Amino acid sequence: KEPTVADYVSLPEYSQVAASRNGRALIARVPVNGRFNLAVIDLESMTRRMLTSYTDRDVIAVDFAGNDRIVYRTSTADRDDEDVDGSSALHMVTRDGARRVTLFDPDKEAGPAGNRVGRSMRLSRLLPASEAEVLVTANLRDPLSLDIYRVNLDTGQRTLLTESRPEGVLRYVYDRARVARAAVSTVRGTTTRVVYFRPSEAAAWQEIARYDLTRPGTIEPINFTADGRRLRVATNATGERMALHYFDPEARKLLQEIFAHTSGDVASDARGGSNHMVSVSIDAETEEVLGHLVRNDKQRPTWNTEDDRRFQRLLDRFLPDTYNSATSLRRNTSLVSAVSPTWPTT
């Protein structure tokens, strides 16, 4: 049937869908009580179980940590992932709903005196070798700078991993071993951003790039190559639009271009934000680039392997009127998202 006005203005039936590591279950935000709540979907029985029933707050981010533990974030401020005041709580719940742990609650942990900046803890990276621990970022020591903690999901115990870090850190970039080896900081009271690098977890941070957000020359680190020796960065240092390049952090040198798009920024906008046209799909295990996803209903994702290109052609043949993207859940199962300007995301 044709979509109605209600299909566009009402809360989506499912959003932020994520899969368990074995691909047998999905989690998603689902509207209940006029709020986004958390549901788990068993793909073998095709049954749904609600795990939360909030009436005063929204689930704003969800992810599986392995196959059983689910990490999710809540806020009373806004329904979007980037909540208004920055304050949010982090929780763990098991897939069957039997165990629940609040990992961080800003209402119960006192912040710095006189602090008007919201505090939050956010899931940063999953650990392939562990389902009981994850890496999170939080502004607990300094409201204007992020630290990394290793958190036990069953006990809530935290271990600070960035005792020594640059000031004003906005985000970190991890290598394949889940070690944070690059960081982007802001110089307070200015439009200057600084990129830092360290050769190993025990090494000192060193500045490798500095740029002004109001001028050309942005260098925004995206990820490390699989060998950990080079960075992929989004930059407009060589052209009007942001393009993906290799960068040698030891030599502090911009290297060859990897990918550019004729009509939009790639991986980051010129201010280091998410208002870009082309996203980069990166394999969570190998750190290799799988392809590029164009946020445009007229252009399809571009993939680096023939298998992925063949599957995309198959999708587009069966769903010719929508923009289609897929995530592999396990060997013979994929999660497909289809959307167009005239049809809600399905």
Side-chain angles (χ1 to χ4, degrees), residues 294-312:
V294 183
R295 292 196 286 185
N296 182 319
D297 64 301
K298 296 180 181 178
Q299 300 190 51
R300 305 300 182 183
T302 60
W303 300 105
N304 292 341
T305 70
E306 182 53 34
D307 283 347
D308 287 336
R309 290 192 289 267
R310 185 182 301 113
F311 186 57
Q312 185 68 46

Side-chain angles (χ1 to χ4, degrees), residues 168-228:
V169 175
L170 300 173
R171 68 182 189 88
Y172 293 92
V173 180
Y174 301 87
D175 63 14
R176 189 176 180 181
R178 303 305 191 263
V179 175
R181 291 181 47 225
V184 179
S185 293
T186 184
V187 178
R188 295 182 187 181
T190 75
T191 55
T192 299
R193 293 275 172 89
V194 184
V195 182
Y196 293 91
F197 164 77
R198 57 180 178 175
S200 67
E201 189 170 19
W205 293 97
Q206 51 191 278
E207 180 181 329
I208 59 171
R210 181 178 291 248
Y211 60 91
D212 190 321
L213 292 173
T214 64
R215 301 177 181 177
T218 295
I219 295 179
E220 188 74 9
I222 304 302
N223 77 323
F224 280 92
T225 55
D227 60 11

Side-chain angles (χ1 to χ4, degrees), residues 118-244:
R119 297 192 308 144
S120 67
M121 178 178 289
R122 304 184 182 206
L123 178 64
S124 185
R125 291 300 292 265
L126 302 176
L127 299 172
S130 173
E131 295 192 9
E133 293 185 311
V134 296
L135 300 182
V136 303
T137 55
N139 59 342
L140 309 187
R141 291 198 301 163
D142 180 345
L144 298 179
S145 191
L146 292 177
D147 280 299
I148 301 173
Y149 296 83
R150 191 180 185 105
V151 173
N152 185 297
L153 296 177
D154 296 328
T155 65
Q157 181 178 355
R158 309 168 193 160
T159 302
L160 177 65
L161 301 182
T162 50
E163 183 69 43
S164 174
R165 54 143 172 81
E167 293 295 318
V169 175
L170 300 173
R171 68 182 189 88
Y172 293 92
V173 180
Y174 301 87
D175 63 14
R176 189 176 180 181
R178 303 305 191 263
V179 175
R181 291 181 47 225
V184 179
S185 293
T186 184
V187 178
R188 295 182 187 181
T190 75
T191 55
T192 299
R193 293 275 172 89
V194 184
V195 182
Y196 293 91
F197 164 77
R198 57 180 178 175
S200 67
E201 189 170 19
W205 293 97
Q206 51 191 278
E207 180 181 329
I208 59 171
R210 181 178 291 248
Y211 60 91
D212 190 321
L213 292 173
T214 64
R215 301 177 181 177
T218 295
I219 295 179
E220 188 74 9
I222 304 302
N223 77 323
F224 280 92
T225 55
D227 60 11
R229 299 177 61 183
R230 293 180 297 173
L231 278 163
R232 294 183 184 91
V233 302
T235 180
N236 59 359
T238 60
E240 181 181 350
R241 301 186 185 280
M242 298 285 281
L244 199 64

